[in-house]
Amino acid sequence: MRQLIINADDFGINEMVNLGIIQGYVNGIITSTTIMPSGSAFDHAITLASVNKELGIGIHLTLVGETPLCDPQTIPSLVNNEGCLSLHYPEFFRRYCLGKIKLNDIHKELTAQVQKVMDSGIAVTHLDSHQHMHIVPGIIDVTIDIAKSFDIKKIRIPAEPFSFLGGYPFQTARIIARGGLTFLAEIARRKIQKQGFVAPEHFFGMLAGGNMHEEYLLRILTSLPEGTSEIMIHPGTNDSILQKMYNWNYHWQAELNSVTSSKISQHIIDHHIQLISFRELEHD
């Protein structure tokens, strides 16, 4: 049996992203999303979630690119002089490796983020993170501890296979980055399994992240392995505005078109792929 979770990241970052995710859920194959507690459109996302109750919703833990929920004075190692988190993950990772970021500050901020979502009434399905920071050594232990304290049983493991290319245009830097991420993710997988957590067996969407056009999504589906897989996507509406706001080279509308494509939906039906959310993900 092949089970598939289609998870849309960044719910709550922007209203146009929120609307794209909901369109992909209502009119397409999205089964799951993860909400950014510190996102500027968090309240808008909560309102949309309240009328789309079958959409699985996890938490997109955020350590870069946003304003923290905690008072910056209480998490000094995490913030810059303006009280903001590191703008980009390379900056965060460099400071973290140099020992300038304290795990206690990470624990405090991520706990506040989970608490905010819990207080909103969302039935949280799982944890993942912006830029996959939760699988970094040390931070995965913090993530596990927080998941235990809030009784969250499922955690994303973004381990896209080392050999998988999926027809995506070859970019050496991205291949190297994907390899490093997969290596750390597999270490994290062993940790969460020992602690009784569960994750999908397979993960896709790193190489084509932000550029999951229909052809690339179809190639993933064509080679989808047995067991449970997660495909990470980033749908949204109005690329022209979003691209001015976020310098990520993403194609949000193309990803929305992919998950609402009748060709994609028909392939899933014809090949007996069962769509589930993290809510239905079960232990072996």
Side-chain angles (χ1 to χ4, degrees), residues 111-128:
T111 297
Q113 292 183 17
V114 176
Q115 188 65 61
K116 180 178 180 179
V117 179
M118 291 292 190
D119 290 345
S120 75
I122 293 290
V124 175
T125 59
H126 69 291
L127 299 179
D128 62 28

Side-chain angles (χ1 to χ4, degrees), residues 83-144:
C84 295
L85 300 171
S86 297
L87 287 179
H88 307 289
Y89 78 87
E91 175 191 349
F92 174 94
F93 197 62
R94 179 185 63 80
R95 295 187 64 244
Y96 181 76
C97 290
L98 291 173
K100 295 183 177 181
I101 294 178
K102 306 303 181 186
L103 287 175
N104 284 344
D105 288 354
I106 292 175
H107 196 292
K108 185 176 295 184
E109 172 61 22
L110 295 187
T111 297
Q113 292 183 17
V114 176
Q115 188 65 61
K116 180 178 180 179
V117 179
M118 291 292 190
D119 290 345
S120 75
I122 293 290
V124 175
T125 59
H126 69 291
L127 299 179
D128 62 28
S129 64
H130 196 46
Q131 303 293 348
H132 310 294
M133 290 290 101
H134 74 288
I135 56 94
V136 171
I139 301 178
I140 183 60
D141 301 291
V142 170
T143 302
I144 288 171

Side-chain angles (χ1 to χ4, degrees), residues 1-6 189 198-204 220-221 223-231 268 271-277 280-284:
M1 176 185 293
R2 289 178 296 171
Q3 294 183 314
L4 178 60
I5 297 167
I6 305 288
R189 186 191 300 279
V198 64
E201 298 165 78
H202 315 288
F203 175 86
F204 300 93
I220 293 173
L221 293 174
S223 59
L224 200 69
E226 289 292 315
T228 304
S229 300
E230 177 190 2
I231 298 177
I268 288 172
H271 292 81
H272 309 290
I273 298 170
Q274 180 186 8
L275 293 175
I276 65 170
S277 74
E280 291 81 45
L281 182 64
E282 297 180 355
H283 287 272
D284 294 336

Side-chain angles (χ1 to χ4, degrees), residues 13 21 25 60 79 92 103 108 121 138 142 178 184 194 196 205 208 210 217 239-240:
I13 195 172
I21 290 171
Y25 165 65
H60 205 50
V79 297
F92 174 94
L103 287 175
K108 185 176 295 184
V142 170
R178 192 272 302 274
L184 294 180
K194 286 181 180 178
L217 180 54
D239 275 5
S240 60

Side-chain angles (χ1 to χ4, degrees), residues 129-184:
S129 64
H130 196 46
Q131 303 293 348
H132 310 294
M133 290 290 101
H134 74 288
I135 56 94
V136 171
I139 301 178
I140 183 60
D141 301 291
V142 170
T143 302
I144 288 171
D145 185 64
I146 293 172
K148 283 182 177 179
S149 66
F150 285 96
D151 197 30
I152 299 169
K153 304 294 188 183
K154 299 153 189 178
I155 298 174
R156 168 189 282 171
I157 296 297
E160 190 168 58
F162 290 108
S163 61
F164 179 79
L165 296 178
Y168 191 74
F170 186 84
Q171 296 177 325
T172 302
R174 200 167 180 96
I175 291 287
I176 293 171
R178 192 272 302 274
L181 178 67
T182 295
F183 176 77
L184 294 180

